[in-house]
Amino acid sequence: CCASSSVCVCVHEVPCLDRRRTLCDSARAMLTQRLAALAAVRKNGMALEFATSELRADREVAMVAVSQAGACLRCLCDALRGDREVVLAAAAQRPEAMQYAAPELLADRDFMMQAVRQDASTLQYASQEVRSDAEVVRAAIANSWFSFQYASESLRADRDFVLPVVRVDR
């Protein structure tokens, strides 16, 4: 039945008992919707905007979508916008997607250290506390000098912090 498809899931062949037909039909419909959503977001991650809230909360669908279009992070449920792996995948595709990440992640030093090592510009979305963390800011600057502008005012004004940073041979 799926000769032309690379993924074969024949939902009409799933057996069900007559007394559970409604439940079975509902499960088939959900499976069909999920498979259709996965196919759509593989082609264009922003197709997630048109998915049901249940599909926007599906981690596998989310990972495929953000890998295609990081900005669709904004379409996901709160739990997935707080999922480290999902947010890092979105930021890898489009660093600006970090603006849609859960505030708890943006305030998480370890998470932001990973993010700035992946792309230094993500520092701009970090909490004030993280942007005041010298180690995180140094990691961002090591990736791109341009990220210095996102350091907290106190770090940018701290001579003991700035001098070693500017002395690094670029």
Side-chain angles (χ1 to χ4, degrees), residues 42-126:
R42 277 190 185 101
K43 290 185 184 222
N44 181 348
M46 291 309 293
L48 188 65
E49 286 186 277
F50 306 104
T52 64
S53 58
E54 291 82 13
L55 290 169
R56 289 180 186 201
D58 183 304
R59 191 170 191 282
E60 182 183 2
V61 173
M63 285 298 290
V64 171
V66 300
S67 296
Q68 284 290 321
C72 73
L73 183 63
R74 69 182 164 83
C75 301
L76 300 179
C77 68
D78 290 343
L80 289 175
R81 288 192 317 217
D83 182 303
R84 292 170 179 267
E85 188 179 359
V86 171
V87 174
L88 284 174
Q93 200 284 324
R94 186 175 181 100
E96 298 85 4
M98 288 289 285
Q99 66 187 301
Y100 305 114
E104 303 80 47
L105 281 183
L106 300 176
D108 183 308
R109 181 188 184 281
D110 294 333
F111 173 77
M112 287 309 301
M113 184 67 86
Q114 282 184 282
V116 300
R117 285 181 175 148
Q118 179 176 286
D119 189 300
S121 70
T122 60
L123 182 61
Q124 67 186 299
Y125 303 105

Side-chain angles (χ1 to χ4, degrees), residues 16-26 28:
C16 68
L17 302 172
D18 286 337
R19 61 189 162 99
R20 296 187 185 162
R21 185 170 250 350
T22 304
L23 180 59
C24 187
D25 288 345
S26 177
R28 281 189 201 149

